[in-house]
Amino acid sequence: MENQDNQPSPASIMQIGSGFWSSKLLLAAVKFQLFTKLAEKQSMSAQQIKTMLNLKCTDIHLFDFLDALTGLGFLNREGLLESAIYSNSVNADAFLVIDKPAYIGGMLDMLNNRLYQFWGNLEEGLLTGLPQNEIKAGDDNLFNELYKSPERLLEFINAMGSIQIGNFNAFAQLFDFSKYKTLTDVGGCGAALSTTVAKHQPHMKCTSFDLPVVEPIAKEKIAKTPFSDRVTTASGDFFADPFPKADVVVMGNILHDWDEPKKLALLQKAYDALPEGGAFVAIENVIDDDRSKNVFGMMMSLNMLIETGTGFDYTFSSFNKWTKSVGFKSTSIVPLTGPASAAIAYK
């Protein structure tokens, strides 16, 4: 008799095909600040949550919303329906409560406010090879468009900080900084990497380098930390201006924004900013060389199609080829959190 375990099943197909349902549940809860407000009260009934969030749906749909979040692991529940009491799960409490150090809601906000609708046009992006976001009918540069609005700029900076904070913490502790004294973070956004390295490596002085419009936000975020004596900012265009010289040059989610010629141009500028023995580090979702395991990295690469049209994520073998062509002597890779790694090249 044939083993039923080998029988075909549509379960995984439907789970992935309807994946946007569960995604939107989480994104809506984050937008409502449900987890933050629950943390303030410790626990609440469904009716208390309904009043707090000013929801006008029926009670059964309220229970559907909260119980689905429970089933997905974001909430804990005691009791059922009218008698149910809800509280945050361990992960929600750690990562989805505003003002907690590991908060990742900034990225989820951007997924909800921008990328959710743009990914609805993935088919068009694949058919045309063109971006499907704000620059679809206008500016040819995503960042020029994003930076026109102070609100959208701040949302983008918060998103970039929140998606990478776990990786930055891991990198700051796993990378051997003992031979180095200075670091430049190219495309440093809100200086999250620089302040994180300064926290874990008291001997390091760090510079967050980004466009002039970003600098005031970075300065404000640095001022809220105890590391302002060792973390500074520098402003400029990383294609037009030289990088601030340092022993270590880092790019977090920067290389994947661009096509191969621009990737090589940035690598050359990083090489020029480093001393002999210095290190260049790319912190990104480096795709495994056989392109079978890091599915998130490949989806992030498709996100670059949506966002830029020509940017893409890459394998470590591609990183090795590019850095060797620029003149770097050797490379290594350090796994960080989830699908992310630090790809390192030594001058």
Side-chain angles (χ1 to χ4, degrees):
M1 188 174 182
E2 190 171 358
N3 189 337
Q4 289 189 347
D5 290 343
N6 294 327
Q7 291 297 306
S9 168
S12 63
I13 296 172
M14 288 307 301
Q15 182 180 16
I16 293 172
S18 64
F20 66 95
W21 292 2
S22 53
S23 171
K24 193 61 180 176
L25 272 170
L26 172 61
L27 297 178
V30 172
K31 185 168 186 174
F32 292 154
Q33 297 185 12
L34 170 62
F35 306 109
T36 299
K37 293 172 180 177
L38 261 181
E40 293 170 358
K41 302 288 186 180
Q42 299 296 316
S43 62
M44 301 178 76
S45 70
Q47 285 302 320
Q48 288 173 321
I49 292 171
K50 187 175 185 179
T51 300
M52 175 183 68
L53 300 182
N54 194 29
L55 304 180
K56 299 296 192 288
C57 60
T58 65
D59 284 352
I60 191 60
H61 290 135
L62 171 68
F63 297 138
D64 291 339
F65 177 57
L66 297 174
D67 292 340
L69 287 169
T70 301
L72 290 170
F74 300 116
L75 296 178
N76 296 324
R77 187 192 72 200
E78 293 184 10
L80 188 64
L81 299 173
E82 289 83 358
S83 66
I85 298 296
Y86 297 90
S87 59
N88 287 335
S89 69
V90 171
N91 284 341
D93 192 64
F95 299 111
L96 297 175
V97 176
I98 296 172
D99 293 334
K100 288 208 172 182
Y103 180 66
I104 60 172
M107 183 60 192
L108 296 174
D109 282 335
M110 191 175 80
L111 286 168
N112 197 27
N113 297 337
R114 293 186 60 249
L115 297 179
Y116 184 83
Q117 59 180 314
F118 298 144
W119 265 75
N121 296 324
L122 176 62
E123 300 96 320
E124 187 176 345
L126 290 167
L127 286 167
T128 65
L130 298 174
Q132 298 300 312
N133 55 13
E134 294 92 345
I135 64 174
K136 187 174 181 178
D139 200 309
D140 63 352
N141 187 303
L142 168 66
F143 303 102
N144 290 342
E145 185 64 31
L146 284 178
Y147 292 3
K148 287 177 183 176
S149 161
E151 294 79 16
R152 196 176 289 170
L153 170 60
L154 183 59
E155 179 183 78
F156 179 76
I157 288 174
N158 288 337
M160 293 303 97
S162 71
I163 196 175
Q164 286 277 47
I165 192 63
N167 297 322
F168 293 166
N169 271 300
F171 169 69
Q173 297 173 77
L174 294 173
F175 182 75
D176 182 6
F177 284 95
S178 61
K179 297 176 287 187
Y180 308 116
K181 295 180 180 178
T182 57
L183 177 148
T184 291
D185 182 19
V186 175
C189 272
L193 172 65
S194 293
T195 54
T196 302
V197 170
K199 174 184 176 181
H200 292 287
Q201 303 292 336
H203 69 287
M204 291 294 295
K205 292 186 177 180
C206 305
T207 300
S208 187
F209 176 61
D210 212 317
L211 292 168
V213 69
V214 177
E215 190 170 29
I217 298 174
K219 283 182 177 292
E220 183 178 340
K221 290 183 178 292
I222 292 167
K224 293 178 180 177
T225 75
F227 312 115
S228 57
D229 59 326
R230 291 186 290 114
V231 178
T232 58
T233 61
S235 65
D237 180 328
F238 56 52
F239 282 115
D241 302 312
F243 299 170
K245 291 189 179 296
D247 300 330
V248 181
V249 171
V250 183
M251 294 180 190
N253 281 359
I254 297 295
L255 276 184
H256 75 161
D257 290 335
W258 311 102
D259 61 20
E260 186 168 343
K262 289 183 177 177
K263 282 177 167 65
L264 288 168
L266 290 173
L267 288 169
Q268 183 65 61
K269 297 186 79 165
Y271 183 89
D272 294 342
L274 290 166
E276 201 72 22
F280 167 73
V281 184
I283 298 177
E284 293 192 303
N285 300 288
V286 180
I287 299 168
D288 54 294
D289 284 345
D290 65 3
R291 297 179 56 84
S292 62
K293 300 178 184 68
N294 194 350
V295 175
F296 183 85
M298 289 179 273
M299 291 194 294
M300 181 61 82
S301 190
L302 286 170
N303 192 57
M304 292 303 100
L305 164 62
I306 297 291
E307 292 280 50
T308 70
T310 55
F312 62 94
D313 287 70
Y314 48 87
T315 62
F316 187 52
S317 61
S318 292
F319 179 83
N320 288 337
K321 179 185 72 174
W322 297 330
T323 53
K324 182 178 180 180
S325 72
V326 167
F328 286 97
K329 291 179 180 176
S330 62
T331 61
S332 64
I333 188 165
V334 177
L336 299 175
T337 61
S341 300
I344 306 165
Y346 299 94
K347 183 171 176 177

